[in-house]
Amino acid sequence: SNLLDIADHFCPTYCLLFVALVEYVLIAWKYGAEKMIKDIQNCAPPEWQQYIPVKAATIQMKYVGPVGISFILLMALIDEFSGDSLIANESGWKTYGGYPTGVTICLGWGSVAIPVGYFFFSVIRAHMTGVTTPEQPAVEDVKKANTSQTVSTKADENTTPPNEPSGSDQ
């Protein structure tokens, strides 16, 4: 029950807020708020499309949402380290719920650090390999594709299609 309480506190609070913030940033700034609103309008019934406030939704996606979630995340972190949830445990350390320090660090902050760390690792790895969007292949793959296309084009010029007889068979 203690382990569930720790995981239930840290995962929904910090992981969900971080994921929501990343979604706002990626959708509004990388994919494009205007493009997202256009997708929403295309999915809505025609009689509802006129009620979708494009300018307000764009401002909300780009500015209001990320600032609001960042504020909530900051307030949660401030409360985590100075709020009433910190209780001294047996060793004198103030931890969430007074649980043992190792358990709080491993299960609590570890359950936050692993997914957030993996996200940043993936972003850095994608940036280093040249992949910035799912549609854009890595730079090395583009070079290989260009090289293989050049080779196959030259080879195709000297061969006859398999279903057609060559000139010497006639």
Side-chain angles (χ1 to χ4, degrees):
S1 120
N2 294 346
L3 302 179
L4 180 61
D5 183 36
I6 292 171
D8 189 44
H9 170 71
F10 284 92
C11 286
T13 303
Y14 299 104
C15 287
L16 284 178
L17 284 173
F18 178 76
V19 167
L21 179 62
V22 168
E23 285 179 354
Y24 261 114
V25 171
L26 289 178
I27 289 172
W29 293 98
K30 187 69 176 167
Y31 183 73
E34 294 81 10
K35 188 176 178 183
M36 183 66 184
I37 293 166
K38 205 169 271 200
D39 290 345
I40 292 170
Q41 286 176 329
N42 290 338
C43 292
E47 62 271 7
W48 292 4
Q49 291 179 1
Q50 63 184 347
Y51 299 112
I52 298 174
V54 176
K55 277 207 178 275
T58 302
I59 291 170
Q60 195 280 331
M61 281 182 171
K62 285 187 169 183
Y63 306 106
V64 177
V67 168
I69 289 180
S70 297
F71 179 75
I72 293 169
L73 186 58
L74 179 66
M75 298 289 32
L77 285 169
I78 290 171
D79 185 58
E80 186 70 41
F81 293 108
S82 64
D84 295 336
S85 64
L86 296 178
I87 300 171
N89 59 15
E90 301 89 35
S91 59
W93 287 85
K94 286 191 169 187
T95 61
Y96 170 74
Y99 297 121
T101 308
V103 173
T104 305
I105 290 172
C106 291
L107 269 177
W109 290 111
S111 65
V112 173
I114 289 172
V116 171
Y118 180 75
F119 168 77
F120 283 116
F121 170 76
S122 299
V123 168
I124 291 168
R125 186 182 68 192
H127 181 69
M128 292 177 71
T129 58
V131 176
T132 57
T133 61
E135 297 87 25
Q136 181 183 359
V139 175
E140 296 84 24
D141 294 339
V142 172
K143 288 179 183 176
K144 288 177 187 176
N146 289 341
T147 306
S148 66
Q149 286 176 355
T150 306
V151 172
S152 65
T153 303
K154 290 180 182 176
D156 289 342
E157 291 173 358
N158 298 328
T159 60
T160 36
N163 294 337
E164 295 181 19
S166 64
S168 60
D169 293 339
Q170 295 177 1

